[in-house]
Amino acid sequence: MLTPESYQAGRWIGPGAGAQILRSPVTGEEIARTGSEIEPQAMLDHARDTGGPALRAMGFHDRARMLKALAQHLDARKEELYALNPLTGATRRDGWVDIDGGIMTVFAFASKGRREMPDGQVYLDGGTEALSRNGTFVGQHMAVPLRGVGVHINAFNFPVWGMLEKLAPCLLAGVPAIVKPATQTSYLTEAAFRMIVDSGILPEGAVQLIVGRTGDLLDRLGAQDVVSFTGSADTALMLRQNPALARNSTRFIAEQDSLNAAILGPDAGPDSEEFKLFVKEAVTEMTTKAGQKCTAMRRLIVPADLIDPVAEALTGALAKVTVGNPEDRAVRLGALASLSQKADVLEKAAAIETEARRIFGDPDAFAIHDADPAQAFLPPMLYLCDDPDAARAVHSVEAFGPVATLMPYRDAPHAAALANRGGGSLVASLFTNDPQVARTVALEAAAWHGRLYINDRTSAAEATGHGSPLPHMIHGGPGRAGGGEEMGGIRGVLHYMQRTAVQGSPRMISALTGQWTAGAPEVTGPEHPFRRSFDDLEIGETLRSDPRQVTLDDIEHFAHFTGDTFYAHMDQAAAEANPFFPGRVAHGYLLLSFAAGLFVQPDPGPVLANTGLNALAFMKPVSPGDSVHVRLTCARKTRRTDTYGEVAWAVSLYNQDDEKVADYELLTMVAYRG
Ligand code: NAP
């Protein structure tokens, strides 16, 4: 008998007086006793007073490295989780989505944190906004971690991924978390959570766990806390209405149930690649996790003239699906998570059956080896709804199991309209080889769906799957799907941060952000900045070059040397006729090359490579006879490897009248000190 424990303020608390017994959906035997008595205020205090400060003392890159170490730790011990996985009714393949999928999500956020966030405590959102004529007063949006706690309430179907996909962005932001898994599969979440605590990788107070009821936790939340909920729309509605959350404007992210659609394009006849892809993915969606996936395809929307071949292909493929004990490697469809879940699916399927007829999978006539009424198995069940315009239940009742409904459409706008009848979904997919169909459906449907997954013969081999939420892309959706965006790369991290507009002089803004802003003080270093190691370089350290004249010979030489003989550089009359140029002008790339010649220090030294150039703008033409000079300023430093980091230089070119002619950010890799 498993006895998963809560983890409160560094202490494990076992099942208490009102503990609940969980039964195996596979055998009906008792498998776990859950439900500990926790003290919500003690948990909140610990998170806010101990976990939050410890996490905020670290920078984004420190926390990203922490996540990577955590993912490695879990990866090394994941077989212990796979050993528990069949108790949830899931096959090993289902478990892969949950366990490996969860660990990969942590790896992805760790990598994004290092690549897309600064090596510091402040995340900049957009560039500096000019707010004054002379540049002495500017604005900048920046984001800092909230000072509260992330309360993560998760659904039963992904006990490991569900926890990790929320922990990763929350911890990366610098916010501690209290995790509340769904009771039915809490023992698997607890096992993964215990590994996290045992690893010692996270600071004290960064994570706590509630196995059982949350008591009055939500009543105690405030303006700096975030609730991230995953589960049914009914529970979300109930929790959202908590007066404390409303009064304090506590952020509430909801990922709810969703009647996801899959559309087969009008072009995708039975012999097309897209037809086969559609059938294959539909069967996968119906059977993975026994259909208990928030992203599963529930509505299969196909051209009216293809209904029969699609029905035939699907029923043929579903007939080959083996249902049974998830520990058996040959089994494709395991058990639902519990008997009550099975009862719920049958009740919802009955509602669908009022509008659609079942064309595959009879739960009454269905028997598997060792059948027992205590077992939570169901066959895949496919319905056909002939009149989806008149239907209501097929667009609104989520049977959270291996259930889907097939329905016909007339043309692409009609298909999109049917997909939108779900009232907002996490994902809709389209299988077509026709870009025009893709465009029509996307424009008609995108507003109703968090993700649009378009698959065709050219993407099939590498497509990540309709049902896979990816940490890089938004996971969430409008309307019925909850209106949340749980992931989506750094967007997910920003849910746990406050975006603030800061206004002031460039000197003040630079001090806040740790990055040089035009107009902030320039620092003169003891030697050429290219002689300075990554560690020695100061933000604001500047080189101002001597001027160099640009001659007609230079322009001619560059034109013939590179082959760029565009008329603006070569033909006086044609250049004059162009509204941008006074006559023949220097190539922009010639100016960039001259700039490099003006600021480079040629000897081997700490600058290892030029790796790119951002935000290049040519502002004013340079005519033969003009001269240019350069200002090069160390604007930002980011540690990258054990031996070197990235230095971003703000570079501006000016003419003889000190007018800016070009602006860009130069990226270099610079070695650390000795
Ligand atoms: P659920 O019954 O709504 O429960 C969700 C979570 O809310 C569970 O952790 C549950 O804990 C908790 N909860 C219930 N009442 C609560 C209360 N008064 N205070 C605090 N927490 C409370 O959903 P489920 O049955 O676990 O999951 C199935 C549903 O989730 C499906 O509808 C599915 O579509 C949806 N889902 C959505 C997503 C998504 O990303 N959009 C992902 C997965 C699942 P207990 O278990 O202890 O009651």
Side-chain angles (χ1 to χ4, degrees), residues 114-280:
R114 292 287 301 280
R115 277 187 289 114
E116 296 174 34
M117 302 193 90
D119 191 5
Q121 261 110 352
V122 174
Y123 179 79
L124 298 192
D125 181 345
T128 310
E129 297 285 345
L131 300 178
S132 62
R133 183 183 290 268
N134 297 319
T136 59
F137 188 71
V138 296
Q140 170 75 57
H141 288 102
M142 66 176 209
V144 293
L146 289 172
R147 315 287 283 197
V149 53
V151 174
H152 299 167
I153 302 176
N154 300 333
F156 72 83
N157 55 341
F158 287 109
V160 179
W161 177 83
M163 169 171 70
L164 296 179
E165 58 126 7
K166 290 181 185 175
L167 271 186
C170 183
L171 295 173
L172 182 55
V175 174
I178 296 175
V179 180
K180 145 75 184 129
T183 299
Q184 180 61 37
T185 51
S186 53
Y187 50 87
L188 182 47
T189 309
E190 194 251 25
F193 183 92
R194 198 174 275 276
M195 286 178 191
I196 293 174
V197 171
D198 289 351
S199 75
I201 290 168
L202 300 189
E204 179 61 39
V207 288
Q208 298 176 83
L209 181 73
I210 300 177
V211 175
R213 309 314 298 173
T214 51
D216 62 0
L217 180 80
L218 297 192
D219 303 338
R220 296 168 182 273
L221 298 184
Q224 293 287 313
D225 302 311
V226 180
V227 178
S228 182
F229 169 84
T230 304
S232 62
D234 290 343
T235 310
L237 179 65
M238 188 254 295
L239 298 181
R240 266 182 205 279
Q241 288 169 348
N242 179 298
L245 302 185
R247 190 168 43 245
N248 299 319
S249 306
T250 307
R251 293 186 196 185
F252 192 94
I253 304 163
E255 301 298 336
Q256 303 170 181
D257 49 39
S258 164
L259 273 291
N260 310 295
I263 300 171
L264 180 67
D267 55 297
D271 295 328
S272 70
E273 200 61 34
E274 288 71 26
F275 183 100
K276 294 182 190 107
L277 289 171
F278 176 88
V279 170
K280 185 165 174 242

Side-chain angles (χ1 to χ4, degrees), residues 119-465:
D119 191 5
Q121 261 110 352
V122 174
Y123 179 79
L124 298 192
D125 181 345
T128 310
E129 297 285 345
L131 300 178
S132 62
R133 183 183 290 268
N134 297 319
T136 59
F137 188 71
V138 296
Q140 170 75 57
H141 288 102
M142 66 176 209
V144 293
L146 289 172
R147 315 287 283 197
V149 53
V151 174
H152 299 167
I153 302 176
N154 300 333
F156 72 83
N157 55 341
F158 287 109
V160 179
W161 177 83
M163 169 171 70
L164 296 179
E165 58 126 7
K166 290 181 185 175
L167 271 186
C170 183
L171 295 173
L172 182 55
V175 174
I178 296 175
V179 180
K180 145 75 184 129
T183 299
Q184 180 61 37
T185 51
S186 53
Y187 50 87
L188 182 47
T189 309
E190 194 251 25
F193 183 92
R194 198 174 275 276
M195 286 178 191
I196 293 174
V197 171
D198 289 351
S199 75
I201 290 168
L202 300 189
E204 179 61 39
V207 288
Q208 298 176 83
L209 181 73
I210 300 177
V211 175
R213 309 314 298 173
T214 51
D216 62 0
L217 180 80
L218 297 192
D219 303 338
R220 296 168 182 273
L221 298 184
Q224 293 287 313
D225 302 311
V226 180
V227 178
S228 182
F229 169 84
T230 304
S232 62
D234 290 343
T235 310
L237 179 65
M238 188 254 295
L239 298 181
R240 266 182 205 279
Q241 288 169 348
N242 179 298
L245 302 185
R247 190 168 43 245
N248 299 319
S249 306
T250 307
R251 293 186 196 185
F252 192 94
I253 304 163
E255 301 298 336
Q256 303 170 181
D257 49 39
S258 164
L259 273 291
N260 310 295
I263 300 171
L264 180 67
D267 55 297
D271 295 328
S272 70
E273 200 61 34
E274 288 71 26
F275 183 100
K276 294 182 190 107
L277 289 171
F278 176 88
V279 170
K280 185 165 174 242
E281 287 217 36
V283 172
T284 302
E285 288 298 315
M286 286 181 72
T287 52
T288 305
K289 273 292 209 183
Q292 301 166 115
K293 251 179 9 147
C294 55
T295 50
M297 293 175 184
R298 302 284 173 214
R299 295 173 301 144
L300 308 174
I301 304 174
V302 308
D305 60 348
L306 292 177
I307 276 282
D308 290 343
V310 169
E312 196 180 318
L314 278 174
T315 51
L318 289 172
K320 294 190 192 128
V321 170
T322 331
V323 188
N325 189 330
E327 284 190 88
D328 180 346
R329 291 279 177 129
V331 162
R332 174 124 178 237
L333 176 56
L336 281 90
S338 63
L339 275 185
S340 70
Q341 197 57 36
K342 175 177 166 179
D344 185 65
V345 171
L346 288 173
E347 189 187 315
K348 304 281 173 55
I352 291 171
E353 207 154 339
T354 60
E355 298 172 345
R357 66 204 140 87
R358 205 176 52 232
I359 59 170
F360 187 87
D362 181 352
D364 298 325
F366 162 77
I368 59 159
H369 186 56
D370 289 341
D372 179 319
Q375 296 173 334
F377 293 101
L378 276 179
M381 292 188 277
L382 181 65
Y383 288 87
L384 172 60
C385 173
D386 294 314
D387 188 358
D389 289 319
R392 295 172 66 90
V394 297
H395 301 297
S396 61
V397 175
E398 183 200 40
F400 203 57
V403 183
T405 306
L406 199 56
M407 60 192 78
Y409 73 83
R410 290 185 300 278
D411 52 23
H414 185 216
L418 289 174
N420 298 350
R421 287 278 307 276
S425 86
L426 298 170
V427 51
S429 63
L430 172 64
F431 296 78
T432 180
N433 192 36
D434 183 344
Q436 215 35 56
V437 169
R439 184 178 151 78
T440 303
V441 171
L443 292 184
E444 291 293 322
W448 283 105
H449 309 278
R451 179 161 59 91
L452 286 181
Y453 169 85
I454 304 169
N455 202 1
D456 69 47
R457 61 196 68 182
T458 63
S459 55
E462 293 191 306
T464 46

Side-chain angles (χ1 to χ4, degrees), residues 12-33:
W12 291 99
I13 306 173
Q20 191 182 332
I21 299 293
L22 304 181
R23 289 178 180 278
S24 159
V26 180
T27 62
E29 290 162 5
E30 292 185 359
I31 51 171
R33 205 153 59 86

